[in-house]
Amino acid sequence: MVKLFNTRRYKLKNPELRRFLKDKISVAALLILVLMYLGILFAGFFAVYDKDYSNRKLSYAPPSNVYFIDKEGKFTKPYTYNWKREFNKDTLSIEYRQDRSHKYYLKFFKKGFEYKFLGFIKCKRHFISVEDGGELYLLGLDINGRDNFSRLLYGGQISLTIGFLALFISFPIGLLYGGISGYLGGKIDNIMMRFAEAIMSVPSFYLLIILAAILPSGMTSSQRFALITIILAFIGWAGFARVVRGMVLSIKTQDYVKAALVSGCSRTRIILKHILPQTSSYVIIAVALSVPSYILAESGLSFLGLGIQQPDASWGNMLKEAQEFANIIYRPWLLTPGFLIFVAVLSYNLIGDTIRDVLDPKSKIKA
């Protein structure tokens, strides 16, 4: 896949983009994130079951085995067997074995439960499913008999996107606040920075606990966590504003800024048109490196029971089942949400580090 981005073949004119695409690790990370977001964007298409599906008779059933070779050793259409739940009197435990009395073939682009394609087009086609009467659990079931693979897709819609809501609030506020403070300077700068430091001193963890206790109980889990995210965004802008303020203090001494002031430009125009655009490199880097923190925040809050609540899915509350030692040993498929969180956060960090190296003037080399 990396060869698709061969810079010599396409002769990219942008040197920064050319340097980024030369880093194969960052390109691979970008492709992984693209695949993740395509998966959650078309969750209804790729999911085997609806997000409300539950088969409590098969609680903690392991992943279905898919076979491509029949008993005679010949290649055939992919098929699977249903699980049969039994009680082992010797070990006093529940065991699952395959019911080999009937095989069920996998179907592609088959009609199934109805969902909204792209959020508004009704559709029933699914990428993968199984014949009528068959059961296909690609990543097993949870304690309530819900399909983990389908819930990972629906849960990713929250875990991978809800953090952007905070970015759209905190970054514009921090950018304008820091720009105004750094440009005006003097007593105004001193007062504005003391206020920002007071905001930064608010303990976010304890604030989350308080918010979780006082929010109305009738709110859905998505509304609940979105409100918490918005409130945290109004606190998280302060640290970003301090960095922007430091950059503005340096930029406002440049000759082109002084020339704009002499030519009669207003302070607002100078800040918005001549100073803040010069901080775009840092803003891009900060966005790329801030998204992982919100992903971890959502996962941590949901894991602790302060974020997305059951039965709604998120990677955080799905991972909560894996905290039991027995589940880690005997049901490792429950760790899949944690693996996806790790991969998403690592991919964002790799991309952010590469963008920082590309946009940092001190690290630029002739591309």
Side-chain angles (χ1 to χ4, degrees):
M1 292 185 180
V2 176
K3 293 183 178 179
L4 294 175
F5 298 94
N6 190 311
T7 56
R8 292 183 178 179
R9 179 180 177 183
Y10 291 96
K11 297 181 180 180
L12 297 174
K13 296 181 180 180
N14 191 314
E16 287 80 10
L17 181 59
R18 190 160 62 241
R19 287 191 62 196
F20 177 84
L21 295 181
K22 282 184 178 180
D23 191 322
K24 296 182 179 180
I25 296 179
S26 297
V27 172
L30 179 60
L31 290 175
I32 290 173
L33 288 178
V34 169
L35 291 176
M36 282 187 172
Y37 280 98
L38 285 177
I40 64 174
L41 179 62
F42 306 115
F45 175 69
F46 290 108
V48 182
Y49 297 100
D50 187 17
K51 60 182 179 180
D52 297 324
Y53 171 84
S54 178
N55 185 357
R56 295 182 180 273
K57 296 181 179 180
L58 296 179
S59 175
Y60 282 141
S64 300
N65 296 324
V66 179
Y67 301 94
F68 298 87
I69 302 177
D70 58 17
K71 296 180 179 179
E72 300 178 355
K74 298 180 180 180
F75 285 97
T76 182
K77 295 180 180 179
Y79 64 92
T80 185
Y81 296 107
N82 288 345
W83 288 112
K84 189 175 181 180
R85 183 177 180 176
E86 296 179 344
F87 179 74
N88 190 326
K89 297 181 179 179
D90 297 329
T91 61
L92 301 178
S93 61
I94 300 296
E95 296 181 353
Y96 288 94
R97 70 174 182 86
Q98 293 179 336
D99 184 5
R100 293 182 175 268
S101 61
H102 190 282
K103 63 176 62 174
Y104 297 92
Y105 290 95
L106 272 61
K107 298 291 184 180
F108 295 91
F109 305 103
K110 179 187 175 183
K111 288 186 177 181
F113 63 88
E114 184 177 278
Y115 63 93
K116 290 185 177 181
F117 189 73
L118 291 176
F120 58 91
I121 303 177
K122 291 184 178 180
C123 186
K124 290 186 177 181
R125 295 286 179 179
H126 295 271
F127 177 71
I128 186 172
S129 57
V130 68
E131 288 182 331
D132 294 339
E135 299 167 349
L136 179 64
Y137 308 125
L138 298 178
L139 290 175
L141 302 180
D142 63 6
I143 189 173
N144 294 312
R146 296 172 297 193
D147 181 50
N148 284 317
F149 178 77
S150 301
R151 283 172 58 80
L152 281 174
L153 294 173
Y154 291 112
Q157 292 178 338
I158 295 176
S159 299
L160 291 179
T161 59
I162 200 168
F164 288 103
L165 178 63
L167 292 178
F168 291 144
I169 298 173
S170 62
F171 274 67
I173 295 176
L175 192 63
L176 290 175
Y177 192 92
I180 294 172
S181 176
Y183 182 76
L184 296 180
K187 293 183 178 180
I188 296 178
D189 176 38
N190 190 29
I191 295 173
M192 293 180 70
M193 282 300 101
R194 298 297 80 75
F195 177 74
E197 290 170 357
I199 295 294
M200 292 175 62
S201 66
V202 176
S204 58
F205 179 76
Y206 298 104
L207 179 63
L208 286 173
I209 297 177
I210 295 173
L211 290 175
I214 64 176
L215 289 179
S217 58
M219 299 178 63
T220 64
S221 58
S222 298
Q223 294 172 341
R224 186 184 185 89
F225 188 76
L227 183 58
I228 293 176
T229 304
I230 293 173
I231 295 174
L232 288 180
F234 282 107
I235 299 175
W237 60 265
F240 177 68
R242 286 190 65 182
V243 179
V244 172
R245 175 250 185 187
M247 297 179 66
V248 172
L249 288 174
S250 176
I251 295 172
K252 73 176 185 178
T253 61
Q254 299 295 322
D255 293 338
Y256 69 90
V257 177
K258 294 180 180 179
L261 183 61
V262 172
S263 64
C265 291
S266 63
R267 289 182 175 180
T268 303
R269 181 177 178 84
I270 292 175
I271 293 173
L272 296 178
K273 298 293 184 179
H274 299 286
I275 294 181
L276 291 185
Q278 300 304 315
T279 65
S280 59
S281 298
Y282 170 74
V283 172
I284 295 173
I285 297 170
V287 169
L289 295 177
S290 296
V291 174
S293 64
Y294 285 107
I295 294 176
L296 292 174
E298 184 281 324
S299 302
L301 291 174
S302 298
F303 183 84
L304 295 174
L306 301 177
I308 305 301
Q309 306 291 327
Q310 298 285 358
D312 294 333
S314 81
W315 291 353
N317 62 21
M318 290 180 65
L319 187 60
K320 190 173 183 179
E321 287 191 55
Q323 66 180 333
E324 298 181 9
F325 181 76
N327 286 341
I328 297 176
I329 299 299
Y330 300 106
R331 305 176 184 96
W333 59 86
L334 296 177
L335 294 172
T336 306
F339 174 75
L340 292 179
I341 294 171
F342 168 77
V343 172
V345 171
L346 178 62
S347 298
Y348 268 113
N349 285 332
L350 290 173
I351 293 173
D353 289 340
T354 303
I355 292 176
R356 180 179 56 194
D357 295 338
V358 169
L359 298 181
D360 185 5
K362 296 181 180 180
S363 68
K364 285 187 177 179
I365 59 175
K366 188 175 180 180

